[in-house]
Amino acid sequence: PSLATVLRKNVIRLDVEVLNNAVTEHGEVVDFVDDLSSWAGTTIAGAGDHIVSVAGVRLDDLIDDTVDLVKVNIEGAEFEVIPTSQKVVSVKTVTGEIHAPPDSRETKAVLDSLVGFGVDAVPITGGCFTQFVAVREAASSAPTRSEPQASEASADGTPAS
């Protein structure tokens, strides 16, 4: 949560809106451990931690038809958020971190939910987590440039049949 202020300063010249929210499945409030000594943060609290309650927001409430890229690093919420999102399939590219090893059942479930995407995934943090990039594949029914369409002319200038 304390990074939202830093991020706002870093993107001041860009057309970006910084929201200080936690992306969750249902938009519920999340108690977040704000590590004031580093960039790190987590949702797993310990004794003496600095706890900040953060308003939740559903991923589908953030996605409209103009989103090209979604980057997810949502501290374990990806297991519920990505598979239940109805709008993530409209995004061109989804990238992020999954808090499980690449060969785990949990990672497979998240990546399998990205239907219509080409997905690359690699282990990070000594194999404990997975970094992934999912790029929406072009619709297989879309015509290619080499396929003449009924409205195109043939090489001799007559309408194509």
Side-chain angles (χ1 to χ4, degrees), residues 1-2 19-24 27-34 42-43 51-57:
S2 62
L19 303 175
N20 193 13
N21 294 97
V23 177
T24 66
E28 65 275 14
V29 172
V30 174
D31 287 335
F32 197 81
V33 179
D34 198 5
T42 184
T43 56
I51 308 294
V52 177
S53 291
V54 179
V57 63

Side-chain angles (χ1 to χ4, degrees), residues 78-79 96-112 119-133:
E78 65 274 7
F79 302 114
E97 186 175 292
I98 299 172
H99 290 76
D103 58 352
S104 71
R105 182 173 38 91
E106 295 86 358
T107 295
K108 182 173 176 16
V110 171
L111 297 180
D112 286 352
V119 179
D120 287 319
V122 296
I124 57 172
T125 318
C128 296
F129 298 146
T130 304
Q131 181 72 44
F132 74 95
V133 175

Side-chain angles (χ1 to χ4, degrees), residues 50-124:
H50 181 249
I51 308 294
V52 177
S53 291
V54 179
V57 63
R58 295 176 340 109
L59 182 59
D60 283 356
D61 294 335
L62 298 173
I63 295 175
D64 63 24
D65 59 356
T66 62
V67 176
D68 293 325
L69 173 70
V70 169
K71 181 181 184 298
V72 225
N73 187 348
I74 50 179
E75 304 306 318
E78 65 274 7
F79 302 114
E80 294 82 28
V81 169
I82 293 173
T84 60
S85 172
Q86 300 297 307
K87 293 184 178 181
V88 75
V89 295
S90 69
V91 176
K92 293 179 184 175
T93 304
V94 182
T95 185
E97 186 175 292
I98 299 172
H99 290 76
D103 58 352
S104 71
R105 182 173 38 91
E106 295 86 358
T107 295
K108 182 173 176 16
V110 171
L111 297 180
D112 286 352
S113 72
L114 294 168
V115 176
F117 286 80
V119 179
D120 287 319
V122 296
I124 57 172

